[in-house]
Amino acid sequence: MAQNIYDNPDFFSGYSQLPRQVQGLDGAPEWPAIRALLPELTGKRVADLGCGFGWASRWFRAQGADRVLGLDLSQNMIDRAQADTSDSAITYRIADLDRLDLPETAFDLIYSALTFHYVQDFERLIRMIHAALSAGGDLVFTVEHPIFMAAAHPHWIEDEDGRKTWPVNGYSNEGERRTDWFAKGVLKHHRTLATTINTLINAGFALRRVEEFAPAPEQITAMPELAEELERPMMLMVSAYKN
């Protein structure tokens, strides 16, 4: 079973204060780039894997999705999503993505934001998603970029010129990474960029687009602290479809 860090009180308290959790999708700098990867949603059957507070699930419905299934491992997340949702076409339930089985051809879009790096068996998950999509159905997801999460101690260091530098070590050594983020020992699973992409291809997906998020100049003007995101990619964004 995956680590359920989001039901840790200290973690959940800190996580809930992040701008993207207080402001919703508008608080996520990458949201405009994600939106550009999403297909037309009218009449679509959508699964939101790692739905969190339900921000994206509700947005899908507002854009015309026929029904949305939001899944999350955390009871805290599901409770909050249900409390903030008054739409009978959105269903939330607890699920462990390492064990999840969805019905075959039941969805037209499967979406996930910053969740797959918590999954140990990525290959099993991707093959299951492929089977759960209708012919030509879309998979759109974001994960922490492999460059961002490879380091044993993921934090900025300074080079000889005093410039912020992100350490990349052990990149080819895939597997567990444990970091302290709101709580000690948060467990994630590092995979190289090649492994991520080739797992999709091997499962029968065709790629539409791959993006490595970097803030736009106007975003940096509005939020100067985003300038450091130009130093290394924090997030990998992928749009693929069932071949």
Side-chain angles (χ1 to χ4, degrees):
M1 181 175 179
Q3 181 193 48
N4 186 7
I5 194 66
Y6 288 84
D7 281 346
N8 174 302
D10 292 335
F11 185 97
F12 188 73
S13 175
Y15 180 83
S16 298
Q17 302 307 310
L18 291 174
R20 67 183 62 234
Q21 303 309 326
V22 175
Q23 302 169 27
L25 300 176
D26 290 338
E30 73 278 8
W31 177 242
I34 294 172
R35 238 181 14 238
L37 299 178
L38 291 167
E40 165 63 38
L41 286 157
T42 302
K44 296 292 178 67
R45 303 164 297 166
V46 181
D48 182 2
L49 308 187
C51 63
F53 290 173
W55 294 107
S57 294
R58 292 187 291 274
W59 186 87
F60 294 140
R61 273 287 289 155
Q63 302 306 307
D66 182 61
R67 58 180 173 84
V68 180
L69 173 63
L71 302 174
D72 205 284
L73 181 62
S74 164
Q75 185 69 59
N76 283 341
M77 294 292 191
I78 294 297
D79 287 347
R80 172 68 180 272
Q82 289 175 332
D84 290 349
T85 302
S86 56
D87 184 340
S88 61
I90 303 177
T91 303
Y92 297 109
R93 74 168 190 253
I94 292 176
D96 180 355
L97 297 191
D98 268 316
R99 300 178 178 180
L100 178 65
D101 280 307
L102 295 172
E104 291 191 6
T105 67
F107 300 94
D108 306 302
L109 167 65
I110 294 180
Y111 171 81
S112 183
L114 297 177
T115 300
F116 287 173
H117 48 259
Y118 295 113
V119 173
Q120 182 176 20
D121 194 342
F122 184 62
E123 181 180 0
R124 191 207 74 88
L125 176 67
I126 292 302
R127 291 191 179 279
M128 185 277 298
I129 288 173
H130 187 272
L133 284 168
S134 59
D138 291 279
L139 169 63
V140 176
F141 68 92
T142 69
V143 291
E144 288 187 359
H145 197 288
I147 286 176
F148 176 81
M149 68 179 301
H153 303 289
H155 56 74
W156 294 107
I157 58 177
E158 287 191 359
D159 66 12
E160 291 81 356
D161 299 320
R163 180 171 178 169
K164 278 187 173 182
T165 301
W166 192 262
V168 178
N169 42 52
Y171 182 83
S172 296
N173 296 325
E174 299 183 319
E176 291 189 4
R177 298 291 191 275
R178 290 186 180 270
T179 58
D180 296 341
W181 183 53
F182 297 130
K184 290 187 176 297
V186 178
L187 174 61
K188 300 174 185 177
H189 298 275
H190 166 65
R191 288 173 284 272
T192 65
L193 179 61
T195 292
T196 300
I197 298 303
N198 288 331
T199 299
L200 293 168
I201 294 170
N202 292 341
F205 281 100
L207 298 175
R208 292 193 192 276
R209 196 157 185 87
V210 176
E211 298 284 357
E212 298 169 295
F213 174 71
E218 59 270 20
Q219 290 180 302
I220 295 174
T221 299
M223 192 180 296
E225 60 268 28
L226 284 177
E228 68 181 21
E229 299 303 328
L230 299 176
E231 297 295 334
R232 53 93 180 95
M234 179 184 177
M235 197 175 304
L236 178 68
M237 302 183 289
V238 178
S239 173
Y241 66 95
K242 182 174 181 175
N243 217 351

